[in-house]
Amino acid sequence: QVQLVESGGGLVQAGGSLRLSCAASGRTVSSYVIGWFRQAPGKEREFAARITGRDRFTYYEDSVKGRFTISRDNAKNTVYLQMNSLKPEDTAVYYCAAGRSGGNNPNDYVYWGQGIQVTVSS
């Protein structure tokens, strides 16, 4: 069993930055794909970024490409999402998720964090 805990969210002005962390416990997730998803009020959960296990290949949704960077520290069993040039439309609850072979679909992931709020004011 894997437990995931997000941290680092909060309120920031447009153009600002935040770094989200996703700390895993229960077992090592170094071989798992870790994805970041987000869900705005009244909208479906959507893919934002993901990173593969040991190869650390990264993938981004088009609207965050060039602004968000996903990385991982397998020694700390933690994945990060650096978010720069934030926009009001980035406001959402952000979730990290782990899967053996995750893609862009939330159904690809088995383990989920509880989510953390990110609010970007204009």
Side-chain angles (χ1 to χ4, degrees):
Q1 193 76 355
V2 175
Q3 292 80 42
L4 302 174
V5 178
E6 302 95 341
S7 62
L11 173 64
V12 65
Q13 288 189 332
S17 298
L18 284 174
R19 189 176 81 155
L20 303 183
S21 298
C22 173
S25 62
R27 66 169 66 173
T28 180
V29 294
S30 60
S31 63
Y32 282 70
V33 176
I34 304 296
W36 282 98
F37 291 80
R38 60 187 185 179
Q39 188 166 17
K43 296 189 176 181
E44 293 187 351
R45 192 169 299 188
E46 66 173 12
F47 166 76
R50 60 184 167 96
I51 185 167
T52 61
R54 292 180 175 84
D55 292 337
R56 306 189 188 194
F57 294 137
T58 58
Y59 304 85
Y60 298 94
E61 195 270 330
D62 286 345
S63 68
V64 309
K65 208 172 289 183
R67 301 188 298 120
F68 290 12
T69 302
I70 189 171
S71 61
R72 66 191 304 160
D73 184 337
N74 285 339
K76 295 183 178 180
N77 227 20
T78 300
V79 173
Y80 305 98
L81 185 67
Q82 178 67 43
M83 305 186 295
N84 298 329
S85 302
L86 283 162
K87 305 175 181 180
E89 51 264 43
D90 294 318
T91 295
V93 176
Y94 283 70
Y95 299 87
C96 65
R100 285 293 190 183
S101 57
N104 294 2
N105 190 325
N107 294 330
D108 295 336
Y109 297 81
V110 177
Y111 303 107
W112 288 84
Q114 80 286 355
I116 193 162
Q117 179 69 44
V118 170
T119 303
V120 184
S121 63
S122 58

